[in-house]
Amino acid sequence: MKDSEMGVASAPSATGPRRTRVSGIERSVQILDYLQETARPATGYDIARAVGAPLSTVYSIVEELVARDLLSRNGSVVWLGPKLYHYGLAYARDLEIITVATHEMHVLSREVGETVQICGRDGDMMVVEAMAEGPGHFKVTSRIGTRVPLNWTASGRLLVAHLDFQDRVALFRRCAKASPTGRATVDPVALAEQSDEALSAGIAVQAGESDYAVACVAAPVRNNSGDCVITISIVLPEFKVQEEPSRFADAVRSAAQRIEASLGWQFRQ
């Protein structure tokens, strides 16, 4: 890994700006991050161009990651490898919050007869961390691992609500994107205000913003500092929320409170 394995800055040039070297570990992380963010297999050339690394360096690192099952190869493209899944399972076993939340997720799904998800934040994106599918014919497109812009979802607004108002405005200004339906709010100030309102109410609802005829009713799970660390949400047909808004709001809010109680979190405004 000539790009460089030491990961230290090179000496400044007398004729130009100082160049820095990048460690093999950092390049490996860049490759994994790129594949996760794009959510599709890629060629070595695509990766090198995206992360700004020499093609020879990327090819060398990719070969090592494939050999260790951290990447998998299919023809000319590579994708995330099976060992990453095993790492994730090991990590999840020690994550008490996910264990508790997953239990309540299944309880809530049986109670309301709909799909329920646990969602978290990864930078500018909301991520589906766990899911219990409802018993009916209604199916949702978002599965475990799905990443969508924060402004598309009810959960996304809750997950950043603990940030200072101006920090939220700056965040949404950077990451807000138009949704497939065209109904998701993109104005950063409006999103920051909606985020405040949702956290104060302990509930957030979006309908038809990310998918046509699909709604989401989410509640924040807050730690002792009041931060929303995850959300629990019901994903269901839009017409059902219109018919029984309080039923779903009360159910998901109660589920969030049970998660907080199980974890010993007792934040009070």
Side-chain angles (χ1 to χ4, degrees):
M1 297 183 188
K2 296 180 181 179
D3 188 39
S4 117
E5 303 194 26
M6 296 301 293
V8 296
S10 62
S13 168
T15 59
R18 186 174 73 175
R19 298 175 61 191
T20 59
R21 296 178 178 179
V22 180
S23 71
I25 291 177
E26 185 172 348
R27 286 298 188 202
S28 298
V29 172
Q30 289 176 344
I31 291 169
L32 296 172
D33 283 348
Y34 172 73
L35 291 171
Q36 180 194 39
E37 289 164 6
T38 58
R40 62 178 183 271
T43 65
Y45 175 79
D46 291 335
I47 295 170
R49 185 174 58 179
V51 305
L55 188 57
S56 59
T57 297
V58 169
Y59 279 151
S60 175
I61 295 175
V62 164
E63 288 300 324
E64 293 191 24
L65 295 177
V66 168
R68 290 164 173 76
D69 287 334
L70 293 168
L71 291 179
S72 58
R73 188 191 303 282
N74 183 7
S76 63
V77 299
V78 293
W79 179 236
L80 302 176
K83 185 168 285 188
L84 296 174
Y85 179 67
H86 300 151
Y87 288 153
L89 289 175
Y91 175 71
R93 279 195 294 269
D94 290 331
L95 208 56
E96 184 183 11
I97 183 173
I98 292 298
T99 301
V100 172
T102 298
H103 169 73
E104 293 298 340
M105 174 185 73
H106 287 286
V107 171
L108 179 59
S109 181
R110 290 192 296 270
E111 176 187 343
V112 298
E114 303 291 345
T115 295
V116 176
Q117 295 179 338
I118 302 298
C119 297
R121 176 190 170 202
D122 182 10
D124 293 347
M125 307 291 278
M126 186 217 75
V127 184
V128 178
E129 299 184 349
M131 185 173 89
E133 199 160 6
H137 297 294
F138 178 75
K139 304 296 180 184
V140 300
T141 57
S142 56
R143 301 291 172 179
I144 296 173
T146 296
R147 296 158 55 85
V148 298
L150 291 166
N151 67 302
W152 290 10
T153 66
S155 290
R157 291 161 206 175
L158 289 168
L159 288 163
V160 299
H162 62 280
L163 300 176
D164 291 337
F165 187 83
Q166 291 305 323
D167 290 339
R168 262 178 285 141
V169 171
L171 171 67
F172 284 124
R173 181 173 290 119
R174 179 180 73 244
C175 73
K177 293 179 173 59
S179 67
T181 66
R183 293 171 62 180
T185 304
V186 294
D187 179 80
V189 175
L191 286 164
E193 291 171 345
Q194 291 171 8
S195 185
D196 266 339
E197 295 166 1
L199 192 65
S200 296
I203 203 77
V205 180
Q206 70 89 359
E209 293 184 34
S210 59
D211 292 295
Y212 291 103
V214 178
C216 176
V217 184
V221 177
R222 308 177 71 176
N223 62 18
N224 286 324
S225 298
D227 297 349
C228 175
V229 292
I230 59 170
T231 64
I232 182 167
S233 61
I234 305 171
V235 185
L236 69 170
E238 186 175 352
F239 75 87
K240 289 189 177 182
V241 174
Q242 297 169 348
E243 290 177 350
E244 299 181 281
S246 60
R247 175 194 172 211
F248 295 109
D250 292 345
V252 75
R253 191 184 289 112
S254 295
Q257 291 170 351
R258 291 195 299 270
I259 295 171
E260 293 170 348
S262 296
L263 294 168
W265 293 344
Q266 297 180 331
F267 175 76
R268 295 288 181 271
Q269 289 182 298

